[in-house]
Amino acid sequence: MQLHLSQHVTYVGSIDWDRRIFDQLISIPFGTTYNAYLLQGTEKTALIDSVDPDKVTDLEENLADSSVSHIDYIVCQHAEQDHSGSIPYLLEKFPEAKVVTNEKCKGFLIDLLSIPEEKFLLVKDQDTLSLGNITLRFLLTPWVHWPETMVTYYEEEEILFSCDFFGAHVATSDLITDTPMLYISPAKHYFAEIMMPFRNIIQKNLAKIAPLSIRMIAPSHGPIYKDPNPIMKAYEEWASDQTKPMVIIAYVSMHDSTKQMVEYVANKLMKNNVAVKVYNLPKSDIGEVATDLVDASSMILASPTVLAGAHPEAVYAAFLANALRPKLKYISIIGSYSWGGKMVEQIQNLIPNLKAEIIEPVLAKGTPKEEDFKKLDALVQAFLNKNRNQ
Ligand code: FEO
């Protein structure tokens, strides 16, 4: 595949149409790409990032198509193996190449890939590297997605190579896209699962790149943005403290008692014009719940009581929400029990990272009765008041 971002920049990455899970954890329903870029300057040649080792053949073919016979620099922006995993192959094929990265990333590459010490050329924040007519500037941008992540700015053509930052897990042949809005939804899904836990640091990284004049953003997953404004604006919104008045109800129900409570609450909220998203957890992609958590104001977790505690599906949803640290403002727990248990307390103990205000939980004994529906009315009213006033 020959794809040119400009006269000096060639795409040499790989499209992974088949992949459906990442890190054995994150659903990627649209596949993904591993973007790698060959920059051929008048004096030196550099490769920015490599590809997942499963796709090294694609990288090999694309480099062969570009007729490159010599690589001086392999810029490693992030040590996770979907970008770094083919560096050992590259160093065998191009033994003259130096791995250009920062001190922290070097440590990870030695730990993960046993790359020899003498292969590294270290850079610090704001350092530049000349390829002749191409100047690369490196900016350390920690936690997009690991602590060592950095981005590379090609000064003359104003291209930002951003690695995971601004990425999207989507396999597409529309790699240099004219329709950035098509990719905002997969980019939000990506943000939810990769970036959301580091939202506050991402605000700082956005401020750090703000002074750059950026004509094109070239991430290492998904489309390359000829118009960087939509994805940058979306990131500013997602990373901000602003929420949308929406209630996510994530539930599991064994014999419909909890489901009756969920339907009652959802219908009442909708009748009062509050946006609601209901997820029956055993039938849902938890990645979609995570995506809604990027900007929703409110969440209700609903569970029956199993073996004295919450249902494992609800436990997983609570654990994940806690790990992803969304900017939820209000949260509650509802559900039912038959002979006692600690479902509500167990879920509350699983979400210490959520700084949301807890709306009084409602626990029904068996199927919900009149007094339970009255308590649910109060819960709905509380969510209405909070969301109207936010
Ligand atoms: Fe795409 Fe964090 O690796």
Coordinates of all heavy atoms in Angstrom, one line a residue, residues 22-23 32-34 78-84 144-146 148-149 163-165 169 190 194-195 220-221, ligand 1:
F22 N -8.6 -5.7 22.5 CA -7.3 -5.1 22.7 C -6.9 -5.3 24.2 O -7.7 -5.1 25.1 CB -7.4 -3.6 22.4 CG -6.0 -3.0 22.1 CD1 -5.5 -3.1 20.8 CD2 -5.3 -2.4 23.1 CE1 -4.2 -2.5 20.6 CE2 -4.0 -1.9 22.9 CZ -3.5 -2.0 21.6
D23 N -5.7 -5.6 24.4 CA -5.2 -5.9 25.8 C -6.1 -7.0 26.4 O -6.1 -7.0 27.7 CB -5.2 -4.6 26.6 CG -4.1 -3.7 26.2 OD1 -3.2 -4.0 25.4 OD2 -4.2 -2.5 26.6
T32 N -8.9 -2.1 13.8 CA -8.0 -1.0 14.1 C -6.9 -0.8 13.1 O -6.9 -1.6 12.1 CB -7.3 -1.1 15.5 OG1 -6.7 0.1 15.9 CG2 -6.2 -2.2 15.6
T33 N -6.1 0.1 13.2 CA -4.9 0.3 12.3 C -3.7 0.5 13.2 O -3.8 1.0 14.4 CB -4.9 1.4 11.3 OG1 -4.9 2.6 12.0 CG2 -6.2 1.3 10.5
Y34 N -2.5 0.2 12.8 CA -1.2 0.5 13.4 C -0.5 1.4 12.4 O 0.0 0.9 11.4 CB -0.4 -0.7 13.8 CG -1.3 -1.8 14.3 CD1 -1.6 -3.0 13.6 CD2 -1.8 -1.7 15.6 CE1 -2.4 -4.0 14.1 CE2 -2.6 -2.7 16.2 CZ -2.9 -3.8 15.4 OH -3.7 -4.8 15.9
H78 N 6.0 5.6 22.0 CA 5.2 4.9 23.0 C 5.7 3.4 23.0 O 5.7 2.8 21.9 CB 3.7 5.0 22.7 CG 2.8 4.3 23.6 ND1 3.0 4.0 24.9 CD2 1.5 3.9 23.3 CE1 1.9 3.3 25.4 NE2 1.0 3.3 24.4
A79 N 6.0 2.9 24.2 CA 6.6 1.6 24.3 C 5.6 0.4 24.2 O 6.0 -0.7 24.1 CB 7.3 1.4 25.6
E80 N 4.2 0.7 24.2 CA 3.3 -0.4 24.1 C 3.5 -1.2 22.8 O 3.8 -0.5 21.7 CB 1.8 0.0 24.2 CG 0.9 -1.1 24.5 CD -0.5 -0.8 24.9 OE1 -0.9 0.4 24.9 OE2 -1.2 -1.7 25.4
Q81 N 3.4 -2.5 22.8 CA 3.9 -3.3 21.7 C 3.1 -3.1 20.4 O 3.7 -3.5 19.4 CB 3.9 -4.8 22.1 CG 4.9 -5.1 23.2 CD 4.4 -5.0 24.6 OE1 3.5 -4.2 24.9 NE2 4.9 -5.8 25.5
D82 N 1.9 -2.6 20.4 CA 1.2 -2.4 19.2 C 1.9 -1.3 18.3 O 1.7 -1.3 17.1 CB -0.3 -2.0 19.4 CG -0.5 -0.9 20.3 OD1 0.3 -0.8 21.3 OD2 -1.4 -0.1 20.1
H83 N 2.8 -0.6 18.9 CA 3.6 0.4 18.2 C 5.1 0.1 18.2 O 5.8 0.4 17.2 CB 3.4 1.8 18.8 CG 2.0 2.2 18.9 ND1 1.2 2.3 17.8 CD2 1.2 2.3 20.0 CE1 -0.1 2.6 18.2 NE2 -0.1 2.6 19.6
S84 N 5.6 -0.5 19.3 CA 7.0 -0.8 19.4 C 7.4 -2.2 19.0 O 8.6 -2.5 18.8 CB 7.5 -0.5 20.8 OG 6.9 -1.6 21.7
V144 N -0.7 9.6 27.7 CA -1.6 9.4 26.5 C -1.0 8.3 25.6 O -0.7 8.5 24.5 CB -1.7 10.7 25.7 CG1 -2.5 11.8 26.4 CG2 -0.4 11.3 25.2
H145 N -0.7 7.1 26.2 CA -1.5 6.5 27.1 C -0.7 6.0 28.4 O -1.3 5.7 29.4 CB -2.1 5.4 26.3 CG -2.5 4.0 26.8 ND1 -2.2 2.9 26.2 CD2 -3.1 3.7 27.9 CE1 -2.7 1.9 26.8 NE2 -3.2 2.3 27.9
W146 N 0.6 5.8 28.3 CA 1.5 5.4 29.4 C 2.3 6.6 29.9 O 2.2 7.7 29.2 CB 2.4 4.3 28.9 CG 1.8 2.9 28.7 CD1 0.4 2.6 28.9 CD2 2.4 1.7 28.3 NE1 0.3 1.2 28.6 CE2 1.5 0.7 28.3 CE3 3.8 1.4 28.0 CZ2 1.8 -0.6 27.9 CZ3 4.1 0.1 27.6 CH2 3.1 -0.9 27.6
E148 N 5.3 7.3 29.6 CA 6.5 7.7 28.7 C 6.0 8.3 27.4 O 6.9 8.6 26.5 CB 7.3 6.4 28.5 CG 6.9 5.5 27.3 CD 5.5 4.9 27.3 OE1 4.7 5.2 28.2 OE2 5.2 4.2 26.3
T149 N 4.7 8.4 27.1 CA 4.3 8.8 25.8 C 4.8 10.2 25.4 O 4.8 11.1 26.2 CB 2.8 8.7 25.7 OG1 2.2 9.2 26.9 CG2 2.3 7.3 25.4
C163 N 0.7 9.4 18.0 CA 0.6 8.1 18.6 C -0.8 7.8 19.1 O -1.8 8.0 18.4 CB 1.7 7.8 19.6 SG 1.9 6.0 19.8
D164 N -1.0 7.3 20.3 CA -2.4 7.0 20.8 C -3.2 8.3 21.0 O -4.5 8.2 20.8 CB -2.3 6.3 22.2 CG -1.9 4.9 22.1 OD1 -1.9 4.3 21.0 OD2 -1.7 4.3 23.2
F165 N -2.6 9.4 21.3 CA -3.3 10.7 21.5 C -4.1 11.0 20.2 O -3.5 10.9 19.1 CB -2.3 11.7 21.7 CG -2.7 13.0 22.4 CD1 -3.9 13.1 23.1 CD2 -1.8 14.1 22.4 CE1 -4.2 14.3 23.7 CE2 -2.1 15.2 23.1 CZ -3.4 15.3 23.8
H169 N -9.8 3.3 17.4 CA -9.7 1.9 16.9 C -10.8 1.7 15.8 O -11.9 1.5 16.1 CB -9.9 1.0 18.1 CG -8.7 0.8 18.9 ND1 -7.5 0.6 18.4 CD2 -8.6 0.8 20.3 CE1 -6.6 0.4 19.4 NE2 -7.3 0.6 20.6
Y190 N -12.7 5.2 21.9 CA -11.2 5.0 22.2 C -10.8 5.9 23.4 O -10.1 5.4 24.3 CB -10.4 5.5 21.0 CG -9.0 5.3 21.1 CD1 -8.4 4.1 20.6 CD2 -8.1 6.3 21.6 CE1 -7.0 4.0 20.7 CE2 -6.8 6.2 21.6 CZ -6.2 5.0 21.2 OH -4.9 4.8 21.2
I194 N -9.2 4.4 26.8 CA -7.7 4.6 26.9 C -7.3 5.8 27.6 O -6.4 5.9 28.4 CB -7.1 4.6 25.4 CG1 -7.5 3.4 24.6 CG2 -5.6 4.8 25.5 CD1 -6.8 2.1 24.9
M195 N -8.1 6.9 27.4 CA -7.7 8.2 27.8 C -8.4 8.7 29.1 O -7.8 9.5 29.9 CB -7.9 9.3 26.7 CG -7.2 9.0 25.4 SD -5.4 9.3 25.6 CE -4.8 8.4 24.2
S220 N -1.4 7.1 15.6 CA -1.0 5.8 15.3 C -2.1 4.7 15.3 O -1.8 3.6 15.2 CB 0.2 5.4 16.2 OG 1.3 6.3 16.0
H221 N -3.3 5.2 15.5 CA -4.5 4.3 15.3 C -5.5 5.1 14.5 O -5.8 6.3 14.9 CB -5.1 3.8 16.6 CG -4.3 2.9 17.4 ND1 -3.9 1.7 17.0 CD2 -3.8 3.1 18.7 CE1 -3.2 1.1 18.0 NE2 -3.1 2.0 19.0
Ligands
FEO1 FE1 -1.8 2.0 20.8 FE2 -1.1 2.4 24.1 O1 -0.9 1.6 22.5

